[in-house]
Amino acid sequence: MDTAQIQPIESIGYNVYLNDSLNELVNFVEQGNYSKFFILTDEFTTVHCLPLIEEKLTGKTYDLIEISAGEECKTIDFCIGVWKMLIDFGADRRSLLINVGGGVVTDLGGFAASTFKRGIDFVNVPTTVLSQVDASVGGKTGIDMDSIKNIIGTFTQPKAVFIEQAFLKTLPSREILSGLAEMLKHGLIADAAYWEALKNSDLSIPSTELIAQSVVIKNRIVISDPTEKSHRKALNFGHTVGHAVETWSLDHDEKEHLTHGEAIAIGMICEAWLSVKKNTGLTESELNDTVKVLTRLYPKYEIKDSTFPALIELMKKDKKNEGNTINCTLLKAIGTYSINAICTEDELSESLKYYAAL
Amino acid sequence: MDTAQIQPIESIGYNVYLNDSLNELVNFVEQGNYSKFFILTDEFTTVHCLPLIEEKLTGKTYDLIEISAGEECKTIDFCIGVWKMLIDFGADRRSLLINVGGGVVTDLGGFAASTFKRGIDFVNVPTTVLSQVDASVGGKTGIDMDSIKNIIGTFTQPKAVFIEQAFLKTLPSREILSGLAEMLKHGLIADAAYWEALKNSDLSIPSTELIAQSVVIKNRIVISDPTEKSHRKALNFGHTVGHAVETWSLDHDEKEHLTHGEAIAIGMICEAWLSVKKNTGLTESELNDTVKVLTRLYPKYEIKDSTFPALIELMKKDKKNEGNTINCTLLKAIGTYSINAICTEDELSESLKYYAAL
């Protein structure tokens, strides 16, 4: 498939551009009736991505706001920093914020924009695989607090999203693999053929076509349920266990912590196991196929029995829960999901044990 | 008019109850499918208002979150405090936050709720005249930052508002006068008969009927323009100059600063003068009538010539402006307004001089 044929994907009131995206960004900026432009980057995207954008934006003046890179920067303190810069630079209600970066930049920038003067326009230029396939649709903005991911945020749609494959070439392979986990999840929950295609593709740099398929799948789910009342919970597959493992790693691994995708891969293994255990329909052989692909791509992470209770506590704090139960999205088969599965603490412990014994 | 005849006022997706309101609150709480309740108060409403609510809520358990009182507490730090309490108390997406207090509590509580887990339900129980007539409709939530009022916030509607006159009896008269300024504004911008009625009423504790008329006027304007693109700017009458004076007083008056209403009364005088000056239609005699009523009710505040430049700077930072202009809402006559009047710095200085010379 020629990428020139990839049409913009229509999400909730805005387009996701995958073809000639930086020129589309320039068009957008030129056609919008904006008083000022702001670009939000992190220390890496300033170096690796901003020059490509600047090349296109010739003659346009803007103010740059840069934050430090990494999930540990997705905090209210950095958000306050962005708000104060917007104030100091004289942003008004007709200003546009252009978020250039991974999920931390697009989530935090989206939250800052959606709450500045009760909401100014923003667009996202996701620069990682993860943010291209995950943060590009859905309208979720947010920051972390007290080690709980995205606990503070809004549902606010960007005015457009621009996906440029060139940015992926600057990423370390571990970062690419992190995003790939969400692509694999899209296959597992919604499209067995896509899962097969991913298994058999060269994934060192995912093609724009594969990225587009992921965006289409996520977009279809999001449009059917913008505020996560039902269908959208499909996207939580792997995330109940995965978020807990990710948070634990962020808090405890001093040297190097798990990436989002590495944690979600662990979560998908545990929750695929729970699917079989709780007879949702997933077969043993589908479980084995899932485990085989994920363990081939992602390194084994050591989880000690003594850590299980702390992980369970984190799962209880997950914002997806209601009351005192722990809520999971499981698989009925590869390509179909089942939401609102209540899992007991024992079952979740057992699933961690299964992973640990692989 | 018997208050029993005051029907709930329908705002954007929710009702404002003015009759038997605390029982209506109990009905709401009982009928909603909520997992937990939280009540947000300030140090005064905990003492003066919470007992009346507790009396009705017999047998219901809830967690109390209390913040300090005063506009200087409408900050991100207090908001973070509320978020962290919600986390610690285990609030989930089906939790309800009941904001009991003046505008600081309802604005800050509304912002905290609208961003916690990307939005949980909240209801407002405004306990001051100002919050009953101003914050009860409009869906504006927010906090101040860097001395700029409501610079961070969202447009989010509460699920209901409960107005109880009994709370007003606990207020100092200066606090009642503060709210009255907004009621007078409603008359000036939208209803000459209501302005006349207010002029001739005993305003020591405004009647529920007068409060209801104000809510009806504000509600009509808000419904016609929920996100402040046009008509809603009518409500900004007196607020361009007023907000600047209020902010200046908050930052500089060490002993006792102006109330919101006192500042808005000054703003209304200046902006009524600007209306005549800029020939919007307001007559000299209407200006004199306005000034006479406002100076009778509100004490004179000294504004030195040397302060004018700082006030103008604050007006420039007002979030209502676009680009480098200063935007005012003026009066065409008592009872009608004119939005988007661009005022020069000189004109605004002159209007302050007019006030100072009264």
Side-chain angles (χ1 to χ4, degrees), chain A residues 168-232:
Chain A
L168 304 185
K169 292 173 189 150
T170 66
L171 295 174
S173 66
R174 196 172 164 219
E175 184 59 49
I176 290 184
L177 276 167
S178 178
L180 191 59
E182 292 289 343
M183 298 171 70
L184 292 162
K185 181 193 77 179
H186 293 145
L188 287 173
I189 58 171
D191 190 335
Y194 180 52
W195 166 256
E196 288 300 317
L198 285 169
K199 272 165 61 179
N200 301 315
S201 298
D202 169 18
L203 297 170
S204 56
I205 296 183
S207 66
T208 303
E209 187 194 355
L210 287 173
I211 299 263
Q213 279 186 266
S214 244
V215 175
V216 166
I217 291 172
K218 179 161 183 191
N219 192 44
R220 198 169 57 218
I221 294 171
V222 161
I223 286 177
S224 73
D225 175 25
T227 54
E228 202 160 8
K229 305 288 182 207
S230 57
H231 298 305
R232 186 161 175 171

Side-chain angles (χ1 to χ4, degrees), chain A residues 235-286:
Chain A
L235 298 166
N236 293 333
F237 174 63
H239 282 59
T240 301
V241 176
H243 267 172
V245 174
E246 184 179 9
T247 301
W248 198 91
S249 170
L250 267 172
D251 287 350
H252 294 85
D253 291 338
E254 286 187 9
K255 259 191 168 168
E256 198 173 55
H257 53 73
L258 286 175
T259 64
H260 179 69
E262 285 164 357
I264 296 312
I266 296 169
M268 291 195 284
I269 290 173
C270 291
E271 295 175 28
W273 180 84
L274 282 165
S275 305
V276 175
K277 164 85 181 172
K278 292 176 76 76
N279 299 313
T280 52
L282 192 77
T283 64
E284 280 279 356
S285 97
E286 287 175 306

Side-chain angles (χ1 to χ4, degrees), chain B residues 294-333:
Chain B
L294 293 173
T295 51
R296 188 187 77 206
L297 288 166
Y298 299 93
K300 184 69 190 295
Y301 180 70
E302 194 189 1
I303 306 180
K304 295 197 181 114
D305 283 22
S306 57
T307 316
F308 294 179
L311 290 172
I312 304 284
E313 277 314 299
L314 285 167
M315 292 177 209
K316 283 189 191 167
K317 280 195 183 165
D318 193 292
K319 67 181 173 317
K320 297 185 288 292
N321 297 326
E322 293 180 354
N324 281 320
T325 61
I326 301 177
N327 207 325
C328 290
T329 296
L330 301 179
L331 297 181
K332 278 186 182 169

